[in-house]
């Protein structure tokens, strides 16, 4: 049996053992079954079982979170993907964002027709601010609401840019306390992220007192993905290179 006890994927090596054949023979059988619509190739040497009730086996794909955890564990779902999970945004993004302690050759990757943005993080970043969510037989980690926004402030590209990061921040503060976000940022230890938080809070009309004590020297960019231009804010120690005004 290739799939037993709820197993949803199979490798060439596991198939060779289960079928009692060589790896080459197992690889050919798996490829043939994939061509027939019984399996879906996830990546080289890894296949997922297509449900019998799938309307279009050729376009069916496994749960993106499940595949991400299977391939990049230890990892967590981050950025706009986590924000969507926590209902902090209603925007729909094509890619799933994954943060992993594995070495990543390319940021842009695809599994079984699903697009991902995969970012490397230190192993120490995987020990806090994460919540387990069951997807099939795997307990996939996703950043908590506060950790999600903290990561976005650290790297606004994870939030789809600084404007959408600000919108997500506003959504978070409608359901959570600012102190929890400040604590998450201080655990990240990113001074630029704390400055971005202060500036965005001021734009949104929130009290900025809780974060003033955390300001550091230098003038990082409000949005590192945009050109290094714009006025410097001495109040927040930022170069305001993006317009986030309402």
């Amino acid at each position: 049996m290739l799939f037993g006890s709820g197993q949803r994927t199979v490798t060439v090596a596991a198939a060779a053992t289960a079928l009692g054949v060589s790896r080459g023979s197992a690889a050919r059988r798996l490829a043939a079954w994939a061509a027939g619509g019984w399996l879906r190739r996830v990546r080289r040497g890894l296949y997922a079982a297509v449900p019998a009730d799938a309307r279009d086996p050729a376009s069916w794909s496994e749960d993106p979170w499940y595949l991400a955890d299977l391939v990049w564990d230890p990892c967590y779902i981050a950025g706009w993907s986590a924000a969507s999970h926590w209902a902090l945004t209603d925007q729909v993004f094509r890619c799933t964002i994954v943060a992993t302690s594995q070495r990543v050759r390319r940021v842009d990757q695809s599994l079984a027709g699903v697009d991902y943005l995969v970012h490397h993080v230190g192993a120490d970043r995987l020990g806090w601010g994460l919540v387990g969510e069951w997807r099939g037989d795997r307990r996939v980690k996703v950043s908590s609401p506060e950790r999600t926004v903290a990561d976005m402030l650290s790297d606004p590209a994870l939030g789809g840019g600084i404007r959408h990061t600000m919108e997500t921040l506003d959504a978070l503060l409608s359901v959570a306390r600012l102190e929890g976000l400040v604590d998450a940022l201080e655990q990240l230890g990113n001074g630029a992220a704390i400055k971005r938080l202060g500036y965005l809070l001021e734009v949104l009309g929130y009290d900025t007192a809780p974060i003033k004590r955390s300001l550091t020297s230098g003038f990082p960019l409000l949005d590192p993905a945009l050109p290094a231009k714009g006025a410097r804010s001495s109040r927040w120690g930022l170069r305001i290179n993006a317009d986030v005004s309402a």
Side-chain angles (χ1 to χ4, degrees), residues 21-245:
V21 299
S22 68
R23 288 174 64 98
S25 178
R28 288 189 291 273
R29 292 193 193 185
L30 292 175
W33 291 332
W38 298 101
L39 302 177
R40 183 75 191 271
R41 184 180 184 272
V42 176
R43 67 174 185 175
R44 185 176 181 180
L46 179 63
Y47 293 81
V50 176
D53 59 355
R55 292 186 177 182
D56 184 4
S59 62
W60 174 88
S61 186
E62 181 59 271
D63 175 7
W65 287 27
Y66 184 91
L67 292 181
D69 191 68
L70 184 69
V71 172
W72 291 299
D73 182 48
C75 66
Y76 67 93
I77 305 300
W80 64 58
S81 300
S84 179
H85 175 71
W86 298 117
L88 298 178
T89 179
D90 56 8
Q91 289 199 34
V92 178
F93 292 90
R94 183 174 57 87
C95 297
T96 298
I97 295 187
V98 181
T100 176
S101 60
Q102 291 186 29
R103 289 296 174 183
V104 179
R105 293 182 179 180
R106 302 187 322 277
V107 172
D108 299 288
Q109 298 198 41
S110 179
L111 300 175
V114 178
D115 293 328
Y116 295 87
L117 293 177
V118 187
H119 295 263
H120 171 75
V121 296
D124 60 315
R125 299 295 175 91
L126 297 171
W128 62 276
L130 306 179
V131 178
E133 296 282 344
W134 284 104
R135 296 295 179 102
D137 59 342
R138 301 188 71 87
R139 194 164 185 262
V140 182
K141 292 180 180 177
V142 56
S143 53
S144 69
E146 291 82 1
R147 174 69 185 276
T148 297
V149 176
D151 281 349
M152 288 180 170
L153 290 166
S154 181
D155 181 1
L158 297 176
I162 194 64
R163 178 174 283 277
H164 187 250
T165 293
M166 181 177 74
E167 293 171 357
T168 306
L169 166 65
D170 195 22
L172 173 70
L173 294 180
S174 70
V175 295
R177 298 181 63 188
L178 175 59
E179 288 76 10
L181 175 57
V182 173
D183 288 344
L185 282 169
E186 290 181 341
Q187 270 197 276
L188 281 179
N190 187 318
I194 295 176
K195 292 181 178 185
R196 292 184 188 109
L197 172 61
Y199 179 78
L200 295 179
L201 287 175
E202 189 169 79
V203 171
L204 290 167
Y206 288 98
D207 179 19
T208 61
I211 58 97
K212 287 181 181 177
R213 68 184 186 278
S214 302
L215 296 182
T216 56
S217 61
F219 285 84
L221 298 175
L222 177 60
D223 191 335
L226 298 178
K229 61 181 182 180
R232 291 185 174 187
S233 167
S234 57
R235 175 172 171 77
W236 295 112
L238 278 173
R239 174 167 265 185
I240 310 305
N241 66 331
D243 182 7
V244 294
S245 58

